[in-house]
Amino acid sequence: MATAYITHPSFVLHEMGAAHPESPARLGAIDDQLTADGTLPLLLYREAPRASDEQITRIHTREYLRHLHAVSPPQGYYRLDPDTQLNPHSLEAANHAAGAAVMAVEAVMAGEAKNAFCAVRPPGHHALKDRAMGFCIFNNVAIGAAHALEQFGLGRVAIVDFDVHHGNGTEASFRDDPRVLLCSVFQHPLYPNMPLDDSRPNMVHVPLPPGTGSEEFQQAVSTRILPAVDHFAPELILVSAGFDGHFEDDLAQWDLLESDYFWITREIVTLAERHCTGRVVSVLEGGYAMNALGRSVAAHIRGLLRIGGTVK
Ligand SMILES: [Zn+2]
């Protein structure tokens, strides 16, 4: 069965100024690499719909949604947060980014695709229920998870977040919902610099220091994340797929390689095949070094497709 690739033209129209690292060029870098290595024709291409207000307000407040519509600028920018701005196209892009996660969940639940990758902007895992944060407007992966819980009645949804930053918004969404297991491996200390609350058994934090390389990363994921997901026996696995832990990426200080992203993807796919007929929905988060991002996403997608490469 196929791997779906879900994206939308509006994603490259969202931009937050020429110097901002979360740039439209990110999606071009991904597209270029997938084209160059021949992966793109292997994927089931889909254009993301807009998420409905009902789907978004499972995670975000109606007041926040109203606020975004009220401040969306006809020209120029509106600053939502020190790192996050709206341009005239941003809200449309954010709606489709959330819609991509919803569509991906529907595609894998219906068996139309075995798994899916959502090539979206803006990213989502820092967004809180009532405010934008850290380049994120809507929490795409959380909206996808909520759709799986409410629309499909699932009782065990796992989210693996390997972005180099802690997915604080996703944690805030589900910390009191035992139907969701969030396993997050991230650099610490680093943005968003929040105190880590280890009191919730469904919130597995794996903070790793600056300088973390392949061996430390794979060891920590193998001992603390993979067994937790395996024990949880998920009916669906979602992935907050951030590639800003790559050694070429300057937003953090990890030294991962694209082979690490291939490795963790294969491990996630293996768990999904064991527990939920391979259902994995992966949603792009960070990754700001263009060439490394393209190569890392290509490695991730090879992992989803179960083709090529070697697991190091
Ligand atoms: Zn990040």
Side-chain angles (χ1 to χ4, degrees), residues 125-126 163-166 190 242-244 251 285-288:
H125 72 156
H126 296 305
D163 188 278
V164 78
H165 302 94
H166 177 223
L190 185 67
F243 302 92
D244 37 9
L251 258 72
E285 301 284 359
Y288 305 99

Side-chain angles (χ1 to χ4, degrees), residues 253-265:
Q253 291 79 43
W254 277 4
D255 297 323
L256 301 188
L257 302 169
E258 43 270 38
S259 53
D260 295 308
Y261 296 117
F262 179 75
W263 172 80
I264 193 172
T265 307

Side-chain angles (χ1 to χ4, degrees), residues 180-204:
V180 176
L181 173 73
L182 171 63
C183 295
S184 187
V185 56
F186 51 91
Q187 181 180 316
H188 187 74
L190 185 67
Y191 184 91
N193 291 313
M194 300 212 168
L196 300 178
D197 175 2
D198 284 318
S199 66
R200 304 293 202 285
N202 63 324
M203 297 285 124
V204 177

Side-chain angles (χ1 to χ4, degrees), residues 14-94:
H14 162 60
E15 54 84 28
M16 299 183 284
H20 201 294
E22 206 289 277
S23 75
R26 298 176 61 229
L27 293 184
I30 292 170
D31 194 83
D32 279 356
Q33 184 64 41
L34 295 176
T35 302
D37 70 12
T39 308
L40 216 46
L42 305 176
L43 302 169
L44 184 66
Y45 181 90
R46 288 283 184 271
E47 275 201 3
R50 305 173 96 250
S52 68
D53 287 358
E54 182 198 347
Q55 290 161 352
I56 292 169
T57 55
R58 287 175 180 144
I59 296 297
H60 299 282
T61 64
R62 290 202 176 272
E63 292 69 29
Y64 175 53
L65 206 50
R66 272 197 291 272
H67 173 69
L68 289 174
H69 283 282
V71 300
S72 179
Q75 56 192 10
Y77 300 101
Y78 180 88
R79 188 173 292 277
L80 292 169
D81 152 276
D83 305 313
T84 317
Q85 302 195 86
L86 294 178
N87 81 348
H89 307 284
S90 301
L91 195 50
E92 182 73 3

